[in-house]
Amino acid sequence: MAGVDAGGGDRLALAVLAQYRLVTTEQMHLLIAPGVRIEQTRRRLAKLRGEGLVERVTLAQAGRTRVWFPTRYGVQVACEWPELRGRRAPRAVSDPTAVRLKTGHGLTVSQTGLAFVQDARRLGDVCPPLDFIPEVHHRLGGGEAVIPDALLFYRRGTAGGGAMLRAFIEVDRATMGPERLSAKLAAYARLHAYVPQSAGRRPAYHQVPVEDWRRHYPLFPRLLFVLDGTGPVGIDNRIGALRAAAEEGALAGFLREVPVLAAPLTDLLHHGPAAPVWHRIHPGRDGERVSWHHPV
C-alpha cells in the first residue's frame, strides 16, 4: 500500500474511519491528532483519498462540512490489521446519497465517542479512539441480535491496576417514539438472560448453562442512553418513558445487576461524560444524577 505511513497517523486515521464509519474533518482531528494544526489532518485525509482508501461528501446545509467515510478497499485493508482483527467488518457504504442519509445518526455516534475519548485525556484515564466500537453484534438466537450503537472500553487511571469499565451505548436522536426507545430495556434484559442452546445435543450433566455474554465480559456492561435531537421537554419525556419501563417486574433482576443511565448529549459535551449529568433509570431514583463512573 504505497504512500501510507504504516506506523503512524495514516494508519490510525484509516483504522478510526473504518471503525467509526462516518466522521467530520474536525472529529477526526480531535480523535487522532489534537496537538497539531488541523491542516495536517486535512492533508492526511486527502492523501488517503488519493490512494482510494477513503472518500467524502460535503454537507451544504451544514456550512459545507466535509464528512469522511472508508471505501470498500479501505475497510478491507484496515480490517486486516491486528487492532481491528476479529471485529465484524462494517458495511461499507460507497454511494454518496446513502452516506448523506446516514450522517445525522452516524456523526452523533462519532461525537459521543469523541466526548469519552476527550474526557479520558483530561482526567488521565485510558480510552483511545479504537476503544469506542460501533455496532457490536450480540446474538439472541433465532436470528435475532442486540446491536448497541457502540461498545465502550474505558480504564480509570493510567496504572495497570485501574478499573476497567465497559458500557453499551444507545444514541437516540428522537427519531423514534419514547415507547420504542424504552423497549430497548427489554431487549438488553433478554441479552442479559440469554443462554445459547447446544444444537442437536444435550449438555453434559455436569455442565451448568451460562449466559452468552459471559464469554465476552467479566461483568455485563452498564447501559448508557445518550439523548439528542430534542429540547428539555423531549428529553424529560424520554427519560420518563425509560423510567416507566423500568417499573415492569420482568426487568427487576436485570436492573438490580446492571446500571442503566441516561443523559442529554449537550450535557456530555458541556460538562464531560464523567460529570454527574446521568439520570439513573431505576425505580425510586427519580431526580438522582450520577457520574457514569460510579452508578451505585
Side-chain angles (χ1 to χ4, degrees):
M1 193 169 50
V4 173
D5 176 11
D10 290 357
R11 176 170 175 144
L12 178 59
L14 181 56
V16 166
L17 198 52
Q19 184 160 294
Y20 284 55
R21 297 158 171 83
L22 295 172
V23 298
T24 66
T25 306
E26 182 182 15
Q27 286 173 343
M28 176 65 82
H29 177 65
L30 294 174
L31 283 166
I32 70 169
V36 303
R37 293 168 59 87
I38 195 171
E39 285 76 13
Q40 293 188 33
T41 300
R42 292 193 179 106
R43 288 195 295 269
R44 190 180 306 283
L45 289 168
K47 176 184 178 184
L48 294 174
R49 185 186 183 210
E51 293 165 335
L53 296 164
V54 309
E55 196 43 85
R56 72 186 187 203
V57 296
T58 301
L59 303 181
Q61 73 277 20
R64 299 196 63 77
T65 297
R66 287 179 172 174
V67 177
W68 298 86
F69 59 97
T71 63
R72 296 183 189 278
Y73 174 50
V75 170
Q76 177 185 350
V77 169
C79 286
E80 293 175 353
W81 295 338
E83 53 265 47
L84 297 186
R85 192 172 297 150
R87 297 182 183 174
R88 188 185 183 102
R91 291 168 293 183
V93 179
S94 56
D95 177 64
T97 300
V99 169
R100 287 190 180 92
L101 293 174
K102 292 176 176 288
T103 54
H105 186 265
L107 293 180
T108 304
V109 172
S110 295
Q111 190 65 36
T112 300
L114 174 60
F116 282 97
V117 170
Q118 290 181 309
D119 216 31
R121 290 171 181 160
R122 179 178 63 84
L123 297 172
D125 295 336
V126 180
C127 182
L130 294 179
D131 277 359
F132 182 84
I133 312 170
E135 295 189 7
V136 178
H137 285 60
H138 297 78
R139 61 193 181 100
L140 285 176
E144 295 185 81
V146 172
I147 309 172
D149 286 316
L151 168 63
L152 174 70
F153 292 92
Y154 188 108
R155 183 174 292 281
R156 297 296 311 278
T158 56
M164 172 62 77
L165 306 178
R166 301 167 184 82
F168 293 133
I169 296 177
E170 288 287 343
V171 174
D172 173 64
R173 298 182 60 247
T175 55
M176 64 177 70
E179 294 76 12
R180 286 184 59 196
L181 172 66
S182 59
K184 292 190 175 186
L185 277 178
Y188 280 95
R190 289 175 60 202
L191 176 62
H192 184 258
Y194 170 64
V195 176
Q197 301 298 314
S198 300
R201 58 185 176 87
R202 295 181 179 180
Y205 73 92
H206 60 277
Q207 290 182 328
V208 178
V210 297
E211 296 86 353
D212 192 57
W213 63 265
R214 296 185 187 276
R215 298 189 303 114
H216 308 285
Y217 314 108
L219 294 173
F220 195 88
R222 56 199 69 190
L223 176 55
L224 308 179
F225 288 90
V226 177
L227 308 176
D228 193 35
T230 185
V233 173
I235 295 289
D236 289 344
N237 288 340
R238 304 181 94 69
I239 292 174
L242 287 168
R243 284 188 169 140
E247 296 285 349
E248 296 181 10
L251 298 180
F254 171 67
L255 293 171
R256 277 196 301 269
E257 296 188 29
V258 180
V260 180
L261 311 173
L265 177 61
T266 53
D267 285 355
L268 269 63
L269 300 180
H270 185 70
H271 302 287
V277 298
W278 297 89
H279 300 258
R280 290 210 64 183
I281 308 300
H282 294 78
R285 301 297 186 125
D286 292 14
E288 181 182 356
R289 293 199 185 192
V290 297
S291 167
W292 84 276
H293 287 173
H294 304 287
V296 295

